[in-house]
Amino acid sequence: QMQFVESGGGSVQAGGSLRLSCTVSRVIINNICMGWFRQAPGKEREGVASIHTGGNMTYYADSVKGRFTISQDEAKNTVYLQMDSLKSEDTAMYYCAARAPAPWGTCFLARSLYNYWGQGTQVTVSS
């Protein structure tokens, strides 16, 4: 059973940056999908970015392309989400998730595909 430790959330002004971290325990994140999702009050949870840990194939939501970068550190069993040029509409609870097992090329940003979830970390962007 996977367990996640998410960190890095906080409050920042528009245009600023934050880096979220998701460290996984009990399971080596090898050849699985790791994703970041977010949920704003009153809205559906949506996919932000994902990565296949077996080869670094990445997916991004259109709303964050060019601003957010997902990456992994195999030695630390950790996935990161670097968020730059933050906007007020990025304000949400951000969740780390995993899809395991996960064939190559299947890390789509669909909530239903992911079977392990973290507790979330809050990101607030003020304008």
Side-chain angles (χ1 to χ4, degrees):
Q1 184 76 15
M2 286 187 181
Q3 290 188 340
F4 303 106
V5 176
E6 297 153 306
S7 62
S11 297
V12 65
Q13 289 192 329
S17 298
L18 286 172
R19 188 177 79 158
L20 305 183
S21 299
C22 175
T23 299
V24 182
S25 61
R26 300 191 177 187
V27 175
I28 302 299
I29 55 169
N30 187 32
N31 286 320
I32 65 171
C33 295
M34 292 294 299
W36 287 97
F37 289 74
R38 68 186 181 187
Q39 188 167 17
K43 293 189 176 182
E44 296 285 322
R45 190 172 299 186
E46 63 175 358
V48 175
S50 65
I51 185 168
H52 194 281
T53 60
N56 289 324
M57 177 179 281
T58 58
Y59 297 79
Y60 294 95
D62 288 343
S63 58
V64 307
K65 281 181 182 176
R67 300 189 299 121
F68 291 10
T69 304
I70 190 169
S71 61
Q72 63 167 329
D73 185 330
E74 291 183 42
K76 295 182 179 180
N77 223 38
T78 297
V79 174
Y80 303 98
L81 184 68
Q82 177 67 41
M83 304 186 295
D84 298 319
S85 302
L86 282 161
K87 305 176 181 179
S88 58
E89 50 263 45
D90 295 318
T91 294
M93 184 70 79
Y94 282 70
Y95 298 90
C96 180
R99 181 188 185 191
W104 173 257
T106 64
C107 299
F108 308 114
L109 294 173
R111 178 180 177 180
S112 61
L113 295 176
Y114 291 75
N115 42 359
Y116 299 96
W117 291 86
Q119 294 301 307
T121 183
Q122 178 67 36
V123 171
T124 302
V125 184
S126 57
S127 57

